[in-house]
């Protein structure tokens, strides 16, 4: 009887150990233990092809694919200043196979939009802050404007210029609105659905001025398709050393950097969030990737998920206040 009791206890212990191992395997599958193995990873670029969000996504994707040894596919879902693409990401399964690459509009949308189809805090998990960059105000070659001083002088004399941005509430729009308010200019804002369409029109002379990230406009500056006038960061860009800042051009303290981040659905397991953060940090340290971003004026940030969360939170606060105080609406978008 004693041997039978011992045998039963051993069988029970073995069963419990087997069950525990099975539960561990399930936990790993639900977390990052086997991720990514099931299917390709989808990067939703929340603006149309040709803009900086699209380009950032397409620089990250192949390097991330090599790092994770899993296909990474970029899908453009543009519209509503990034809201449509971000919404598609939040509605996807939080299984670590769908992420969104967003622009600085993500920090403005909560205060600009009457009702977002997602909760910016509960429905989203920031993965990483990719980097920051100056916004650059450029002039069409047909505009007759060749310097920021000339633009300021003519604006003060009463001439009303039109400038394009990637949409109402985009950082470019808000930066120029703040400048116009501070200087007393009367400028007409023309919103576009993305950087690609915006640059097509300024190159073609359909709009006199355009404001976009250095990442977006620098290739056209290099090709002499547009004339750079001024940048929005406090310091000059190493990539555009001859282009003055707004701050040094008569408006001290002016600063409005562009930024890009990678986000995940809010219920994505923390193990996967951390694993993707780790993988993207490695990608951003890849010399080839770093050089591509540097050549386009993006200063890589990287770091922890908390770094991304804190930065985005501050941007929401700063520009949300400006939107509300100046009663900026989406009318006309």
């Amino acid at each position: 009887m004693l041997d039978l009791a011992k045998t039963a206890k051993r069988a029970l212990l073995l069963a419990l150990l087997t069950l525990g191992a099975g539960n561990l395997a399930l936990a790993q599958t639900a977390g990052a233990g086997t991720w990514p193995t099931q299917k390709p990873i989808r990067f939703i670029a929340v603006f149309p092809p040709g803009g900086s969000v699209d380009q950032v996504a397409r620089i990250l994707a192949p390097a991330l694919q090599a790092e994770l040894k899993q296909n990474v596919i970029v899908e453009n879902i543009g519209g509503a200043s990034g809201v449509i693409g971000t919404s598609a990401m939040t509605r996807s399964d939080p299984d670590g196979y769908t992420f969104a690459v967003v622009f600085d509009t993500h920090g403005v949308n909560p205060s600009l939009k009457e009702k977002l189809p997602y909760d910016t805090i509960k429905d989203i998990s920031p993965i990483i802050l990719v980097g920051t960059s100056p916004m650059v105000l450029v002039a069409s070659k047909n505009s007759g404007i060749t310097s920021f001083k000339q633009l300021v002088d003519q604006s003060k004399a009463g001439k009303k210029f039109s400038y394009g941005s990637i949409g109402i509430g985009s950082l470019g729009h808000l930066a120029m609105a703040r400048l116009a308010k501070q200087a007393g200019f009367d400028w007409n804002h023309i919103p576009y659905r993305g950087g690609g369409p915006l640059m097509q029109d300024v190159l073609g002379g359909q709009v006199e001025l355009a404001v976009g990230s250095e990442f977006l406009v620098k290739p056209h500056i290099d090709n002499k398709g547009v004339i750079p006038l001024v940048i929005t960061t406090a310091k000059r860009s190493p990539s555009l050393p001859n282009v003055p800042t707004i701050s040094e051009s008569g408006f001290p303290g002016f600063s409005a950097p562009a930024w890009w981040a990678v986000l995940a659905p809010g219920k994505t397991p923390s193990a996967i969030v951390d694993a993707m953060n780790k993988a993207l940090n490695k990608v951003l340290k890849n010399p080839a990737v770093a050089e591509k971003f540097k050549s386009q004026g993006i200063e890589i940030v990287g770091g922890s998920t908390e770094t991304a969360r804190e930065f985005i939170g501050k941007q929401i606060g700063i520009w949300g206040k400006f939107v509300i105080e100046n009663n900026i609406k989406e009318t006309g978008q």
Side-chain angles (χ1 to χ4, degrees):
M1 291 291 292
L2 184 60
D3 289 341
L4 287 174
K6 288 181 177 180
T7 300
K9 286 182 179 179
R10 287 173 182 169
L12 179 60
L13 179 60
L14 180 61
L16 289 172
L17 289 173
T18 301
L19 180 61
N23 287 338
L24 177 60
L26 286 173
Q28 288 178 329
T29 300
T34 59
W35 176 87
T37 60
Q38 297 179 16
K39 54 188 175 182
I41 293 171
R42 183 168 64 140
F43 259 24
I44 296 176
V46 303
F47 279 87
S52 66
V53 173
D54 176 61
Q55 294 178 63
V56 166
R58 293 182 190 279
I59 288 175
L60 292 176
L64 183 64
Q65 180 169 306
E67 175 64 29
L68 295 176
K69 297 178 175 57
Q70 183 75 16
N71 288 338
V72 179
I73 300 170
V74 176
E75 179 181 353
N76 295 88
I77 304 180
S81 297
V83 171
I84 295 175
T86 304
S87 180
M89 181 272 295
T90 62
R91 295 196 310 269
S92 66
D93 291 335
D95 56 2
Y97 293 92
T98 303
F99 299 86
V101 180
V102 302
F103 195 39
D104 46 54
T105 55
H106 182 77
V108 179
N109 288 333
S111 56
L112 184 71
K113 312 289 182 181
E114 287 189 8
K115 187 177 181 181
L116 289 175
Y118 51 82
D119 187 302
T120 308
I121 304 300
K122 295 179 181 179
D123 296 337
I124 293 172
S125 292
I127 299 293
I128 199 167
L129 177 61
V130 176
T132 63
S133 168
M135 302 291 289
V136 187
L137 180 64
V138 298
S140 164
K141 296 178 78 172
N142 297 335
S143 69
I145 297 297
T146 58
S147 71
F148 184 63
K149 183 180 185 305
Q150 181 187 9
L151 176 65
V152 170
D153 289 343
Q154 291 191 19
S155 296
K156 286 183 176 180
K159 183 171 182 179
K160 186 173 183 177
F161 288 93
S162 293
Y163 72 95
S165 78
I166 63 166
I168 293 175
S170 66
L171 186 65
H173 170 215
L174 297 184
M176 292 301 101
R178 193 170 90 183
L179 174 63
K181 181 180 179 181
Q182 188 174 341
F185 300 156
D186 186 17
W187 287 351
N188 178 42
H189 175 233
I190 302 175
Y192 285 78
R193 288 177 61 84
L198 169 62
M199 294 313 298
Q200 286 178 8
D201 273 11
V202 72
L203 288 168
Q206 282 77 37
V207 63
E208 297 165 300
L209 306 167
V211 58
S213 67
E214 184 178 324
F215 193 103
L216 173 66
V217 304
K218 189 173 184 298
H220 304 291
I221 294 173
D222 293 342
N223 292 333
K224 302 189 184 304
V226 294
I227 301 166
L229 303 178
V230 75
I231 65 173
T232 64
T233 43
K235 296 180 180 179
R236 292 197 183 198
S237 167
S239 302
L240 296 170
N242 296 322
V243 180
T245 68
I246 292 176
S247 180
E248 69 181 274
S249 302
F251 304 92
F254 193 100
S255 180
W259 56 271
W260 299 260
V262 177
L263 312 176
K267 294 182 180 180
T268 303
S270 59
I272 291 178
V273 169
D274 292 340
M276 178 58 96
N277 172 267
K278 182 178 179 181
L280 283 171
N281 269 303
K282 286 185 178 180
V283 165
L284 292 176
K285 292 176 182 176
N286 180 313
V289 171
E291 182 55 37
K292 287 179 181 178
F293 282 135
K294 180 181 178 181
S295 68
Q296 299 296 340
I298 288 185
E299 182 178 351
I300 291 173
V301 178
S304 68
T305 58
E306 190 56 33
T307 296
R309 186 182 301 278
E310 289 180 1
F311 179 90
I312 293 171
K314 287 180 180 178
Q315 291 295 306
I316 290 173
I318 291 170
W319 293 107
K321 181 180 178 183
F322 182 82
V323 166
I324 293 169
E325 288 180 348
N326 291 275
N327 197 32
I328 294 175
K329 304 291 185 182
E330 288 188 284
T331 304
Q333 175 112 344

